[in-house]
Amino acid sequence: MGLDFNQETFRNDFTFRNSPKAIRRFPFPFHEDGYMYSVNLEPHVPGPKGSVFEHTFDVDEHYVAEMRDRALVLAEDPLRCQSLPHMTLAGWDLLELIMTSKARDYPHWFELHKQGDKWHWINKPLEIEQKFTFGDETTLPYGPMEYITRQTQGDFSLQDHRDDNLWMDAGMITTQADWSLDFDVGMSFHEWHAPVPLAHEKGIFDRALKFLLNLQLGAPVRRFNWTMTVDPLLDTSPETYPQWGPTRASLTPETIGKRMHLRVELQTLIRLPRSNAIAFPIRCYLIKFDELVTVPKWGRRLHRVIRDLPEELAVYKGFARNRPMMLDYLAQYDDGTPTSPGIWPD
Amino acid sequence: MSMSHNKIPVTVAEVVTLNPLIKRFRFVRRDGASLPAFSGGAHVVVEMDDHGTRRMNPYSLMSAPSDTTGYEISVRRDDVGRGGSLYLHQHVKVGDDLVISAPVNLFGLDLQAKKHLMLAGGIGITPFIAQMALLSAMAGRFELHYAARNPGLAAYADDLRARYGDRVQLYYDDQDQKIALAPLLAGQPLGTHLYVCGPKGMIDWVRRTATDMGWPQQCVHYEEFLAPPTGKPFQVELAASQKTITVGPDQSLLEAIEAAGVDAPYLCRGGACGQCETDVVSCDGHIQHHDHWLSDEEKATGHKIMPCVSRFEGRSLVLDR
Amino acid sequence: MPKTVFEPSIKSRPTYGVLEHRPGTAHLMVADAEGAQALLDLAHSAPPTLWTQAMIVYIPGRSGQQFTQALANLSPSQLHISPSYAAAQPRLHKILQTAHAGLQIYLAGTESLMGQAQAAAMAVGVPHRAVQMEHRGSLARRVQCVHCKGITENVTTDPFECSHCGLNLFVRDHYSRRIAAFQGVNIDAEDPGQVPPAVERFT
């Protein structure tokens, strides 16, 4: 196990880093030299071997450390994981989906043995072995959603489908870009997206909701979202903003390459079978500016995206105050030559 | 992006004649693998090659949602309809291969409900069988009131009584038994959700009564699949794909569009879900709207049509498809 | 036309209508302060039979004493005058728990009162959109501190000091029906100590 997973932290001494292999497979979110909101959904079909799209749930070198960080967040604030009473069935759906996918895609790390509803789950990286009865909460140490998402990278929300809308009625949210599950749980699709600027006026959420209400079983979709984070802090929650907020004011030209991170969310949307709910995994990937510019195409393109971004979006994403310094840094890596289409390194 | 349809190749594993009108079919996956679990109230679209005409009819799944070894549907024979149910009754036998869609749910349970009150009329019983299996496994609170013409046609009545006891109440038309709806609704606890599936008249009656008694619309759920009506043949021009097609007398417009090789979105194929809504480019004639998706105002403007059930009579109809 | 006109805002900020009589098997009305006027206005358009099936819970506060007699004159089947929402809660919960489907719920007055009563109705399975609400009176807000989770009532200024943890919070329009509160977020997190002067915004 030791060779597969990094020993690293996402707090205090911040020893998080990406290996050269992890940098090459980083899901750089910009397919062109600019960015604006769109309903950028595409089928979540298996991507190139080794890419973050290869499997339904990507397990990478940060797995064990990320799960340790999640446990610390939950110990400090259990409200980061919530499931309204009617969402337990959706939790079982999610547990089944994740266990089945991981056992199929990473058989050397995960095993699932089923005999009817008697299930036996083995998670070797986290040294967990659990025998339980599918559908019976009393046989697990946590509710089904909490149990499996303590063992799966990325945030998760479960959206109930009713009254021609989606309702965020459950979630495990510890690696979020500054939104509060405790506050938003129970909201409709437009309500929890309410604070997002510009996109409502463009009809983005109307179109996205219409699409998602028709999301089919067995035909998941995915999209990217992104922001910037100072220091590799997974848990940028509003709850703890007074603790991490000051770091935004402490960047210097000397430290920005090491401390400023592009934060990418690979969001997938998956129709669940028993509950007809929609699972919304939000997988967070971090990369330091210093790591990112080792791919010349990405350095050039990120400079152009940040330079041309509308001010409202820079404010909403929380990096308006640091934008000039970011541009000074990134400009060094933009020689003005054209970039190739698509997100992958040349 | 267009909606992808996940199709499942299946084999007919069992055909059971329940009574003179109703047959039950069990499907298993052709490759022997498990089917996905599904949610109570979900339907699948069954594809049939009816002597050259491709039929795609929706049927509610009635097996237990947790049973991934097979799916079961019940089909009521419709002697005057266009033939999908007749085809299943007369031609489909054990061992035949069919293609079905992945389950889609347009009649889901609201699991927030403090209690689920179900009203079934005739073959409208099928989605409730799956929903009750689910609720019973979850210790959910439910009650079914099931009306049929006579005991001989009340498929599953004995079964359900045996399984759920007094939680199932039966009513037979030929014995002049009728659901006493107003007192039934008046006695329900706050937070009860009402579900109705059956003939149009029954659905209208239940919805109207509930509304008059102050039930919130979010607590009243109904499912009515319309069989696409038959009619005179007509011609349609598909502007985007530059094709002119003829819709046969017992073919739906949607089926004719598909037969011409044009990809069109759909979910319910019964005028309910709105997925196949299509813009009308021009219309010289009369659109026969049969759906219950478009509002009366929208129907009056003639700017939209639901090709799964609606037809046309007149000189020319051009669609943006 | 609603008596209170709110500025256009984001989609999570609640909006309110005008109470209207709807068919139902029973009618629960909860109001505070100037909210009584919304019930009295409803009496102009509703049939008198409404009141024989109506239970009114009224919290007059400082500005509502003048309305209690007028409410009594409607001859509702129950009229309960309560000194505060907290004091009215046990009675409200009892009504909701024993009510039948078909109960109509009418709320009128401040956002704090309507929000809390709506959350109580949702907890017993009433869809939130089935609850009628009409705003009257004070615009003071009920705000939850996103950091310590404490709720401060009657917030009139922006920013304000959290009555629980003492952080200086700015008031967002983002609103949670479940908590029945707006969201308050630390205003000087990035630059501790730099707190702009409080402005009276919600009166």
Side-chain angles (χ1 to χ4, degrees), chain C residues 104-118:
Chain C
Q104 290 294 336
I105 301 176
Y106 308 73
L107 309 177
T110 64
E111 293 196 87
S112 171
L113 178 275
M114 293 191 290
Q116 291 178 83
Q118 185 191 38

Side-chain angles (χ1 to χ4, degrees), chain B residues 127-199:
Chain B
F128 295 125
I129 297 176
Q131 291 180 335
M132 287 188 289
L134 178 81
L135 287 172
S136 140
M138 294 168 62
R141 192 172 166 201
F142 67 89
E143 195 176 297
L144 170 76
H145 296 260
Y146 177 14
R149 206 184 300 162
N150 58 53
L153 288 178
Y156 309 112
D158 296 341
D159 244 24
L160 294 171
R161 279 290 283 202
R163 222 178 300 169
Y164 304 117
D166 284 349
R167 285 184 285 175
V168 173
Q169 298 291 319
L170 305 170
Y171 306 81
Y172 298 119
D173 296 346
D174 67 359
Q175 296 172 22
D176 281 334
Q177 294 164 338
K178 195 167 157 48
I179 300 172
L181 189 56
L184 178 67
L185 294 187
Q188 300 303 318
L190 198 58
T192 301
H193 281 245
L194 174 62
Y195 306 82
V196 55
C197 184

Side-chain angles (χ1 to χ4, degrees), chain A residues 41-43 86 89 93 96 160-163 169 210-211 213-219 221 272-276, chain B residues 1-6 36-40 66 102-105 110-112 134 138 218 221 267 275 277:
Chain A
L41 294 164
E42 60 172 2
H86 60 284
L89 185 63
D93 272 333
E96 177 185 44
D160 196 22
H161 181 157
R162 58 174 200 271
D163 305 337
D169 286 347
K210 190 170 180 192
F211 179 86
L213 290 173
N214 288 322
L215 189 67
Q216 302 290 291
L217 194 58
V221 296
L272 296 174
R274 293 173 173 79
S275 58
N276 201 37
Chain B
M1 62 184 282
S2 74
M3 186 59 60
S4 50
H5 278 277
N6 206 10
F38 63 92
S39 52
S66 59
V104 171
N105 201 337
D110 187 330
L111 293 175
Q112 296 180 117
L134 178 81
M138 294 168 62
Q218 295 87 356
H221 313 267
L267 279 182
Q275 184 67 13
E277 184 181 292

Side-chain angles (χ1 to χ4, degrees), chain A residues 309-344:
Chain A
L309 194 76
E311 182 67 7
E312 295 102 307
L313 290 188
V315 170
Y316 173 66
K317 290 175 183 290
F319 62 83
R321 70 185 298 153
N322 288 316
R323 177 143 75 160
M325 203 192 300
M326 289 156 62
L327 289 174
D328 285 346
Y329 173 93
L330 291 168
Q332 307 170 70
Y333 301 93
D334 185 359
D335 57 7
T337 55
T339 55
S340 60
I343 63 174
W344 304 111

Side-chain angles (χ1 to χ4, degrees), chain B residues 224-273:
Chain B
E224 179 195 5
F225 284 132
L226 299 170
T230 55
K232 290 183 195 146
F234 57 98
Q235 267 201 351
V236 178
E237 199 181 313
L238 305 178
S241 31
Q242 300 183 324
K243 288 185 177 174
T244 301
I245 59 171
T246 302
V247 182
D250 60 355
Q251 188 182 32
S252 75
L253 172 53
L254 178 60
E255 286 167 344
I257 292 173
E258 289 167 337
V262 176
D263 191 24
Y266 67 85
L267 279 182
C268 77
R269 306 183 78 90
C273 76

Side-chain angles (χ1 to χ4, degrees), chain B residues 279-296:
Chain B
D279 289 333
V280 174
V281 178
S282 71
C283 170
D284 180 3
H286 174 63
I287 296 176
Q288 298 157 342
H289 294 286
H290 295 297
D291 60 282
H292 30 82
W293 169 258
L294 296 175
S295 65
D296 290 344

Side-chain angles (χ1 to χ4, degrees), chain A residues 142-212:
Chain A
Y142 307 99
M145 178 192 72
E146 178 166 0
Y147 179 77
I148 197 58
T149 56
R150 278 176 176 268
Q151 302 178 43
T152 310
Q153 288 165 280
D155 281 349
F156 288 81
S157 82
L158 296 179
Q159 301 167 13
D160 196 22
H161 181 157
R162 58 174 200 271
D163 305 337
D164 291 324
N165 212 323
L166 296 174
W167 304 84
M168 187 159 58
D169 286 347
M172 165 67 91
I173 307 290
T174 67
T175 68
Q176 69 285 61
D178 201 8
W179 63 279
S180 168
L181 171 73
D182 180 50
F183 196 78
D184 288 2
V185 71
M187 288 188 187
S188 71
F189 189 79
H190 282 81
E191 288 167 349
W192 87 73
H193 286 113
V196 181
L198 303 179
H200 288 275
E201 294 80 346
K202 290 171 177 289
I204 298 279
F205 294 120
D206 294 333
R207 289 205 297 281
L209 175 61
K210 190 170 180 192
F211 179 86
L212 293 175

Side-chain angles (χ1 to χ4, degrees), chain A residues 77 79 82 84 163 167 180 182-188 190-192 194-195 200 206 238-242 245-246 248-249 318 321, chain C residues 10-13 127-129 144 146-149 167 170 172 174-179 181-187 189-192:
Chain A
D77 184 359
L79 297 177
Q82 302 210 24
L84 299 183
D163 305 337
W167 304 84
S180 168
D182 180 50
F183 196 78
D184 288 2
V185 71
M187 288 188 187
S188 71
H190 282 81
E191 288 167 349
W192 87 73
H200 288 275
D206 294 333
E239 278 82 357
T240 54
Y241 178 46
R248 283 182 174 166
R321 70 185 298 153
Chain C
I10 61 174
K11 303 251 181 187
S12 53
R13 200 244 181 280
H128 70 269
R129 272 176 297 189
Q144 187 195 41
V146 75
H147 313 294
C148 79
K149 306 293 179 189
L167 282 175
F170 68 95
R172 299 180 80 189
H174 200 35
Y175 180 88
S176 163
R177 262 189 312 276
R178 190 180 69 91
I179 303 169
F182 291 92
Q183 190 175 56
V185 180
N186 190 196
I187 197 167
E190 297 186 22
D191 305 284

